[in-house]
Amino acid sequence: MADIESARKAFDRFDLNGDGLISAAEYKSAMAQLGDFHVTETVAEAVIGSKDANGDGLLTFDEFWAALRQD
């Protein structure tokens, strides 16, 4: 994902309640909507935790964007 506009659109797909944060529950739900029903709450928490720079259990757009640029 090369540009910030595409990243923002992707982030918004995961931020289901529009609060500017992606929770593990939102991640799990968004993945299910995308057809990946194997993402459990535990897996979602691990994915969020691995990218969560401040350790609050949620992803901000800045954390999401930083993670995309690392990969």
Side-chain angles (χ1 to χ4, degrees):
M1 191 162 304
D3 67 75
I4 199 163
E5 289 178 23
S6 295
R8 176 54 76 180
K9 287 178 186 176
F11 181 87
D12 289 345
R13 273 185 254 138
F14 283 88
D15 180 17
L16 300 177
N17 67 2
D19 68 353
L21 301 167
I22 300 172
S23 68
E26 287 175 311
Y27 183 84
K28 177 185 172 198
S29 180
M31 291 303 291
Q33 289 176 10
L34 294 170
D36 188 345
F37 300 99
H38 295 86
V39 175
T40 64
E41 191 79 21
T42 303
V43 169
E45 288 170 359
V47 170
I48 295 290
S50 71
K51 310 297 183 190
D52 179 17
N54 67 1
D56 66 356
L58 302 165
L59 280 187
T60 64
F61 177 73
D62 290 338
E63 291 166 334
F64 183 82
W65 177 238
L68 289 176
R69 292 190 353 240
Q70 283 180 346
D71 294 341

